[in-house]
Amino acid sequence: MRRTALLVSAALLTGLLPLASAGAATGAEEPPPVPVDRFEGEVPFASQPAEGLFTWGGDSDDPPELELAARDDAPEGDKVLSGTYDISGYGGFTHDFAANEPGHDWSAHKGIRFWWDGKNTGKRVNFEIKDGGANGEASELWTASFTDEWTGWHQVEIPFTDFAYRTDYQPVGGIDQNLGLTEMWGYALTLPTGTPGTFAMDAVELYGKADPALTTKVLTGSSVYPVKEGDTAGVRISVATTGSAPLAEPVTVAYESAGGSADAGTDYAPVKGEFTFPAGTASGATHTVSVPTLKDKTAEPAETIPLKLTVTGAKAPAETPQVVIDAHGLPYLDTKLPVKRRVADLLSRMSLEEKAGQMTQAERNAVGTGGDIAAYDLGSLLSGGGSTPTPNTAAAWAKMIDGFQLRAQATRFQIPLIYGVDAVHGHNNLVGATVLPHNIGLGATRDPGTAEKAGAVTAAEVRATGIPWDFAPCLCVTRDERWGRSYESFGEDPALVKQMETVVQGLQGARDGKDLDRDDKVLATAKHFVGDGGTEYGSSTTGSYTIDQGVTKVTRQELEAVHLAPFQEAVDRGVGTVMPSYSSLDIIGDDEGPVKMHADAAMINGVLKDRMGFDGFVISDWQAIDQLPGDYASDVRTSVNAGLDMIMVPSAYKDFRTTLIDEVKAGRISGKRIDDAVSRILTQKFKLGLFEKRSVGTDTSGAAAIGSAGHRAVARTAAAESQVLLKNAGGVLPLKKSQKVYVAGSNADDIGNQTGGWTVTWQGSSGKITDGTTVLEGMKKAAPGATISYSKDASAPTEGYDVGVVVVGETPYAEGIGDVGNGNDLELTPADQAAVDKVCGAMKCAVLIVSGRPQLIGDRLDDIDALVASWLPGTEGDGVADVLYGAKPFTGQLPVTWPKSLAQLPINVGDTAYDPQFPFGWGLTTLRTPPGGGTLTLKALALAAAAAQKAGSAEAGRAVVGKARLLVQQKVGQDITPTVAKPFADADHLLLSGRYADAVAKLTEAYRAA
């Protein structure tokens, strides 16, 4: 099988690559192929800025393993690129050309080809090329694919005309969204997911002579042109060239209205004709074809009129544009009717196929330009974490979503999409948005008002970009800080989580849903139902995860009291959607063993919908039904029959919809269950006002408030209130503006670390990833003119300073990637430890821990004068500086127990054995001095607490218990023994539960034990 038509040495190959188009200069009709990769060792395993091959993936075990392997059957040379993979999320490999050399010119060639060792898997492999921009990691991605449906070596040829622009990729600069082929930076392959596999490839090369149509193309202004019955649609047709040069040759376009669901002569006046863009026409020139529609005074669904185009001299549009006569006169369109009647009318008109489409949610990248939205009657799209438009601006988000909504206008009933996004601490996917503290920080504020304002800021910024649905809040009750999602929880006590659910009103407005159609409110999602925060360490079977997506093993009493209680609160608050957990539930004593929550009908249908009275709809998590046992048909029917109403199937939307239809036709899913699901979905769409907004697009007037001073002020307050002062020996804090301050540590000046995971991308990242103020910058603004020096690693001399501030902690992660044991622990890095040791050994010091969960600091606690749990404060480092310099007092309290060692985990308030470093609810304050009087004062406070409890006065009760807590903390100092810690933590739980007298009694017990 060895091919010998073109053999070149490594040295010759190296010289050839930068001149990739030189083969066309031979004058031959078909130029010889030009090598890109021969895999003989000429290209190293390396990454930018050097040239090289490198791997990537969604989590630590997703990147494939690559090697250059010698094979006797290699199609070219002696070696091939071979690899193994087992990908749960996404993974693949890239060949980037050197960033410090010019991009390659591939414009003289027809396409790219390579040899692939087929395994006949039937799986699709995506192949991408990189065009424009500064380098391979800052370029546009253009994608095509092939299916592995043969055995043995086969040469795959992909013409450049087959590549489509990847709308989910975020290039950096020099981008025109035109495949010019004159500045190419390499290629990438995305490998199949779900099952382990092996692959081999060889001899990547450019082939053939360029297609002239690549340099000139005809475009339409839109794929869909909705028009009211009786009005005239104007279909815009334009011509464009690579590099925007004038046309070298004339381009002729013939058009004809034909086909579609509208009747010529009855619904519209047919059109037919031809026009020419002459040679010399400027790129971008436009011609408009008018299509008149006719009134027939009959109420009817939308009707389509395709305008077929025949192009000579250029590449034709990828799609035939359609004029759509809007649906009209039908009851579901009548805004004066109650939502229930509108839903019933629309449901009665829909086919099974249309209903199945409403239950299907796809990821934006999977639908590309959106043609499948109408083809499959899709009801919903989402952006996964970091899946953003280009550029990542508010205007681009709105334009993208309006474009997707336009596609839905080509369906019979023009049912709008409901677009969802994970905005878990502000509109965190959008660069420049206000990023608030993660939930763990909001829990530390103990301030329901702040939580509601945080939700309101998030909703306003999300809705201003065209998105009506937020996959938040997480109502998990975190019970083990080894969990990589700990920071998504408000805390370890369900009473605290319930208290902070005011965020639902911040997002949605009124409990009855009457505010959902406002341009500053979004549909909220209570997640993850139920027990995701209680999974046992070591129980996860997802990739390299250790605890996330594992098994929650509880008694029925614990399930009700700890994990279900927050969801009843959310239902009472009118939350619109609920998302089940990836995890499994194992109820002790029922002998059923672990049941995946996406299959748990007793919990979803029985508890959530029937007992709790939830009337919104249930949305699955990302690809979660794939984790159910059985084949795909079983996954679909089990999850839908268990009560799931919409299924998040990011790229498998076609298979899901087809399978769902087949299961209904076979009688394994009832029509009644389908109607219930679709009714729930349509109800929320009507409440959101999506039917009324579909023809006008996104109201972007609110975009001016994104990242505004007003919104950042809310985030700043939340950041200040979230700071928990754990220790303050000698009154080191607050700082004085006259002091000389030495600042050190990895998290002092890093906005990415400060905001954590789920920021701009799914996992987040270190560095300047968005707009905001770091802790260091906030300190300098808070004390202008003061001496504030910064040495990240504390390598600068420490002499001459009054106090040190060392900001340390974690780097970003999300979900199971952050699990302890999956490449993570609860220890400070060696560099952070060294910075703490050096600064605190040289001067009085305050240590701030910026992290999503407690860090083990006990071995250094004696050397630290002041210790602050800063959590993940978001983009407003000014809020941290506010409390450091005393502009605002420290008032935060621990939302979780701070352990002494990893061996103690899990450790939570209410445990029989309880010996933490700092108990749940601990938090010193600089707001006021503790009261004096000892036990006499506590007796008086006990009487006041009893009176407040009897009167039902929450404000008075909290104030009384707060005074008792301060008195106890003053006496205890750092001598926190188990006999102090347990009643102290229990008192905070009682306070959250409204039992003020009992709380003071517990605090009195702690005082006496100190």
Side-chain angles (χ1 to χ4, degrees):
M1 293 181 63
R2 190 179 299 273
R3 200 158 49 99
T4 58
L6 181 63
L7 292 172
V8 292
S9 69
L12 178 57
L13 181 62
T14 303
L16 255 174
L17 278 174
L19 303 172
S21 64
T26 63
E29 186 65 21
E30 284 289 321
V34 173
V36 176
D37 261 340
R38 286 290 182 255
F39 304 118
E40 300 300 307
E42 72 280 1
V43 178
F45 290 101
S47 57
Q48 292 283 290
E51 177 169 7
L53 292 157
F54 61 94
T55 62
W56 37 266
D59 59 34
S60 59
D61 63 351
D62 277 355
E65 298 287 336
L66 302 182
E67 66 171 332
L68 298 177
R71 281 184 50 162
D72 291 339
D73 64 347
E76 179 62 54
D78 297 318
K79 296 179 181 179
V80 301
L81 179 69
S82 66
T84 60
Y85 59 89
D86 185 1
I87 303 168
S88 58
Y90 63 90
F93 63 92
T94 291
H95 177 187
D96 272 355
F97 300 147
N100 56 1
E101 296 180 9
H104 300 188
D105 186 349
W106 293 359
S107 61
H109 296 273
K110 179 179 181 180
I112 190 166
R113 67 189 180 193
F114 50 90
W115 289 82
W116 187 263
D117 187 16
K119 308 297 182 185
N120 200 22
T121 63
K123 300 234 178 197
R124 189 175 67 176
V125 181
N126 287 331
F127 187 93
E128 296 166 338
I129 56 177
K130 304 186 170 197
D131 171 47
N135 55 58
E137 295 307 289
S139 63
E140 295 176 349
L141 289 186
W142 291 75
T143 186
S145 66
F146 64 93
T147 301
D148 184 346
E149 53 189 3
W150 64 87
T151 301
W153 289 108
H154 176 81
Q155 192 172 44
V156 179
E157 291 190 345
I158 308 178
F160 290 132
T161 51
D162 285 358
F163 285 89
Y165 180 72
R166 254 189 72 174
T167 56
D168 65 319
Y169 190 66
Q170 184 183 337
V172 177
I175 305 302
D176 58 9
Q177 298 184 24
N178 184 43
L179 184 57
L181 297 170
T182 57
E183 194 177 20
M184 303 302 296
W185 293 103
Y187 63 88
L189 280 88
T190 303
L191 297 167
T193 62
T195 56
T198 63
F199 74 91
M201 69 181 298
D202 199 11
V204 184
E205 64 186 20
L206 310 175
Y207 74 94
K209 189 174 181 179
D211 184 345
L214 277 176
T215 61
T216 307
K217 53 188 175 183
V218 169
L219 306 170
T220 57
S222 177
S223 55
V224 179
Y225 289 85
V227 62
K228 292 182 179 179
E229 185 188 48
D231 289 352
T232 297
V235 179
R236 299 182 304 279
I237 302 170
S238 61
V239 65
T241 62
T242 299
S244 298
L247 295 186
E249 301 291 338
V251 173
T252 300
V253 180
Y255 59 88
E256 179 180 8
S257 56
S261 57
D263 293 328
T266 302
D267 296 313
Y268 70 98
V271 296
K272 183 177 182 179
E274 180 179 288
F275 60 89
T276 299
F277 293 104
T281 298
S283 179
T286 299
H287 182 91
T288 299
V289 175
S290 296
V291 181
T293 69
L294 307 174
K295 278 200 171 186
D296 58 13
K297 298 183 180 180
T298 302
E300 54 194 348
E303 297 170 305
T304 58
I305 310 166
L307 187 66
K308 295 185 177 179
L309 305 178
T310 303
V311 177
T312 304
K315 184 179 179 180
E319 294 182 71
T320 296
Q322 293 186 87
V323 172
V324 178
I325 304 172
D326 286 338
H328 52 278
L330 301 174
Y332 77 89
L333 296 170
D334 186 350
T335 59
K336 296 179 181 178
L337 292 178
V339 166
K340 190 173 182 178
R341 283 188 59 186
R342 296 177 74 183
V343 170
D345 176 70
L346 178 52
L347 188 71
S348 70
R349 301 173 186 279
M350 295 170 67
S351 67
L352 172 60
E353 289 73 18
E354 288 165 328
K355 293 174 183 177
Q358 286 301 302
M359 296 174 67
T360 307
Q361 184 184 62
E363 214 280 335
R364 58 178 286 278
N365 177 46
V367 300
T369 56
D372 280 352
I373 291 170
Y376 294 91
D377 298 292
L378 297 181
S380 180
L381 293 183
L382 82 150
S383 279
S387 179
T388 66
T390 303
N392 188 358
T393 63
W397 277 94
K399 180 180 179 181
M400 174 188 74
I401 292 166
D402 286 349
F404 288 139
Q405 291 288 14
L406 186 62
R407 295 288 192 163
Q409 297 303 289
T411 60
R412 275 204 310 160
F413 300 111
Q414 298 182 303
I415 302 173
L417 298 165
I418 181 169
Y419 198 102
V421 66
D422 288 276
V424 299
H425 61 143
H427 195 355
N428 42 256
N429 285 292
L430 173 64
V431 172
T434 306
V435 178
L436 295 124
H438 271 292
N439 283 355
I440 196 74
L442 291 179
T445 71
R446 293 297 202 280
D447 188 343
T450 291
E452 184 168 355
K453 290 174 184 176
V457 166
T458 300
E461 298 200 3
V462 168
R463 195 69 182 253
T465 58
I467 301 168
W469 185 15
D470 185 5
F471 303 133
C474 186
L475 302 183
C476 47
V477 182
T478 178
R479 306 293 284 177
D480 189 332
E481 277 59 64
R482 290 172 291 189
W483 187 36
R485 303 190 80 146
S486 294
Y487 63 75
E488 293 188 55
S489 172
F490 291 115
E492 70 186 35
D493 188 336
L496 174 57
V497 175
K498 289 170 63 178
Q499 185 183 80
M500 305 308 290
E501 289 186 49
T502 48
V503 70
V504 173
Q505 264 56 65
L507 292 166
Q508 290 194 171
R511 297 183 185 219
D512 62 1
K514 67 182 180 64
D515 295 331
L516 283 172
D517 63 348
R518 284 172 36 179
D519 289 324
D520 62 348
K521 294 300 173 188
V522 294
L523 195 67
T525 307
K527 64 183 188 183
H528 302 88
F529 186 83
V530 58
D532 55 333
T535 50
E536 289 189 350
Y537 188 78
S539 65
S540 180
T541 57
T542 301
S544 57
Y545 295 6
T546 58
I547 185 169
D548 189 30
Q549 303 184 21
V551 179
T552 299
K553 191 171 185 179
V554 290
T555 64
R556 189 165 291 279
Q557 181 181 10
E558 185 181 357
L559 173 66
E560 293 285 348
V562 176
H563 299 292
L564 279 172
F567 286 93
Q568 182 65 70
E569 177 74 15
V571 171
D572 293 344
R573 288 181 174 276
V575 73
T577 62
V578 169
M579 180 183 290
S581 176
Y582 281 114
S583 59
S584 301
L585 181 62
D586 186 358
I587 302 176
I588 297 169
D590 69 358
D591 299 323
E592 290 187 17
V595 178
K596 278 284 187 183
M597 279 309 309
H598 279 73
D600 200 329
M603 284 292 124
I604 299 173
N605 283 329
V607 174
L608 177 65
K609 290 185 173 180
D610 294 343
R611 193 187 85 189
M612 291 185 176
F614 174 63
D615 60 2
F617 71 88
V618 178
I619 171 69
S620 88
D621 210 332
W622 179 281
Q623 293 180 327
I625 68 167
D626 294 351
Q627 295 187 8
L628 302 184
D631 59 17
Y632 195 65
S634 172
D635 295 345
V636 171
R637 68 173 172 269
T638 298
S639 59
V640 172
N641 285 333
L644 270 69
D645 302 307
M646 182 183 287
I647 314 295
M648 191 185 295
V649 278
S651 58
Y653 56 91
K654 297 176 186 178
D655 291 342
F656 169 75
R657 180 176 175 274
T658 299
T659 304
L660 178 59
I661 292 168
D662 290 345
E663 289 297 297
V664 176
K665 289 180 176 178
R668 291 183 285 268
I669 299 175
S670 71
K672 183 179 180 181
R673 169 77 271 266
I674 298 298
D675 284 355
D676 173 60
V678 178
S679 294
R680 290 168 175 268
I681 294 165
L682 293 177
T683 296
Q684 299 302 334
K685 289 186 175 184
F686 278 116
K687 285 184 176 181
L688 285 162
L690 299 182
F691 283 82
E692 287 67 56
K693 297 176 189 292
R694 73 188 194 280
S695 60
V696 297
T698 298
D699 180 355
T700 58
S701 60
I706 294 174
S708 65
H711 285 184
R712 290 185 183 274
V714 171
R716 180 174 181 168
T717 296
E721 291 182 357
S722 73
Q723 303 299 293
V724 180
L725 183 59
L726 299 172
K727 179 181 179 181
N728 195 26
V732 169
L733 295 176
L735 302 171
K736 299 177 180 63
K737 295 181 181 181
S738 60
Q739 290 175 310
K740 291 184 177 181
V741 184
Y742 184 103
V743 182
S746 61
N747 288 351
D749 195 32
D750 194 308
I751 200 75
N753 291 355
Q754 189 174 301
T755 50
W758 288 107
T759 308
V760 182
T761 59
W762 174 41
Q763 290 294 314
S765 59
S766 301
K768 177 67 174 173
I769 61 172
T770 191
D771 301 331
T773 303
T774 66
V775 173
L776 176 64
E777 291 167 341
M779 291 176 66
K780 290 181 176 179
K781 288 164 66 178
T787 300
I788 300 176
S789 301
Y790 174 57
S791 175
K792 181 176 181 179
D793 60 359
S795 60
T798 56
E799 294 79 13
Y801 292 92
D802 299 312
V803 64
V805 175
V806 191
V807 190
V808 295
E810 295 185 307
T811 53
Y813 55 81
E815 301 190 32
I817 305 299
D819 284 354
V820 167
N822 189 19
N824 300 281
D825 55 38
L826 299 183
E827 302 279 353
L828 300 180
T829 65
D832 277 349
Q833 290 177 11
V836 171
D837 292 344
K838 182 172 181 181
V839 176
C840 294
M843 64 191 81
K844 291 182 178 181
C845 73
V847 173
L848 278 62
I849 298 180
V850 173
S851 64
R853 53 196 169 190
Q855 303 292 286
L856 302 176
I857 196 76
D859 58 344
R860 287 174 167 77
L861 193 54
D862 289 343
D863 299 322
I864 296 171
D865 298 291
L867 180 65
V868 179
S870 285
W871 308 113
L872 298 168
T875 51
E876 306 315 298
D878 285 326
V880 180
D882 284 339
V883 294
L884 287 179
Y885 275 97
K888 292 182 179 179
F890 279 97
T891 56
Q893 295 176 245
L894 283 181
V896 293
T897 300
W898 197 286
K900 287 182 177 178
S901 70
L902 199 63
Q904 288 185 316
L905 296 176
I907 182 171
N908 295 287
V909 58
D911 288 354
T912 303
Y914 192 72
D915 183 22
Q917 192 81 65
F918 299 101
F920 175 78
W922 189 265
L924 308 177
T925 185
T926 53
L927 176 61
R928 64 177 71 89
T929 57
T935 54
L936 289 176
T937 300
L938 285 170
K939 285 181 180 179
L941 291 173
L943 293 173
Q949 186 169 321
K950 185 177 181 179
S953 174
E955 184 177 355
R958 286 194 297 267
V960 170
V961 177
K963 289 178 181 179
R965 185 173 63 85
L966 295 180
L967 195 155
V968 173
Q969 286 183 149
Q970 182 186 49
K971 184 181 181 186
V972 170
Q974 291 298 299
D975 189 19
I976 305 173
T977 64
T979 54
V980 168
K982 181 168 175 52
F984 186 94
D986 290 344
D988 204 54
H989 168 72
L990 293 166
L991 167 63
L992 291 164
S993 304
R995 296 167 60 185
Y996 311 123
D998 293 336
V1000 173
K1002 282 291 181 181
L1003 287 168
T1004 302
E1005 180 184 337
Y1007 184 87
R1008 288 171 177 161

